[in-house]
Amino acid sequence: MMLFTEVRGLPVVLPAEAGPLGTVTSLTVDPASGTVSHLRIRGGRLRRETALAWDAVHTIGPTAVRLRAATAPDTVPPRHDLLGRRVLTEAGTEHGTVLDVAFAPETGRVLTVFTTRGEVPADRMLGLGDYALVVRAG
């Protein structure tokens, strides 16, 4: 298990390359599947923010994110960061703000969303937009 806050800022490297491609700025989540869909990176050889599909990730460790091979940037999905996002139930009841997210680095599967009002299991995520993460009431 890893936390989003542990991944943010890690260098992203390619096999047999000298320097980092960039650093992780955020992870994009697909609430419908409950998985990380993209890795957002910036800096290094990439001057602007770029999104790479999760499939390009080989391993994530405490010191770096390693990609499988040279990967073309993916179509950048809308930027809806989970960290700091307001959390609402489907009925509109406030459930705090997202502090962190636990996920399986091998698969990208989201395990738990940690909010200012407690933990929310990933299977309760319904949608994510500009305004809030919407979860099923528990």
Side-chain angles (χ1 to χ4, degrees), residues 94-132:
E94 185 80 30
H95 193 74
T97 304
V98 176
L99 297 173
D100 216 335
V101 179
F103 74 105
E106 305 82 17
T107 63
R109 188 171 64 85
V110 174
L111 305 171
T112 304
V113 178
F114 299 101
T115 76
T116 54
R117 293 199 180 163
E119 297 179 13
V120 177
D123 62 356
R124 288 182 39 206
M125 290 190 304
L126 296 173
L128 177 63
D130 290 331
Y131 185 67

Side-chain angles (χ1 to χ4, degrees), residues 8-138:
R8 196 170 41 188
L10 286 179
V12 178
V13 296
L14 290 165
E17 292 281 330
L21 188 59
T23 58
V24 177
T25 57
S26 66
L27 300 172
T28 300
V29 171
D30 173 24
S33 67
T35 61
V36 175
S37 64
H38 290 81
L39 183 74
R40 289 180 180 275
I41 61 175
R42 170 174 277 165
R45 290 182 279 161
L46 301 173
R47 304 278 183 230
R48 59 184 169 72
E49 184 175 81
T50 303
L52 298 173
W54 181 257
D55 294 344
V57 175
H58 178 61
T59 60
I60 296 180
T63 60
V65 174
R66 288 177 175 52
L67 301 180
R68 294 185 189 286
T71 305
D74 203 6
T75 303
V76 181
R79 183 180 186 117
H80 299 302
D81 291 337
L82 270 177
L83 299 180
R85 182 74 55 200
R86 184 178 191 185
V87 181
L88 300 172
T89 67
E90 74 268 60
T93 304
E94 185 80 30
H95 193 74
T97 304
V98 176
L99 297 173
D100 216 335
V101 179
F103 74 105
E106 305 82 17
T107 63
R109 188 171 64 85
V110 174
L111 305 171
T112 304
V113 178
F114 299 101
T115 76
T116 54
R117 293 199 180 163
E119 297 179 13
V120 177
D123 62 356
R124 288 182 39 206
M125 290 190 304
L126 296 173
L128 177 63
D130 290 331
Y131 185 67
L133 168 65
V134 179
V135 298
R136 191 173 13 270

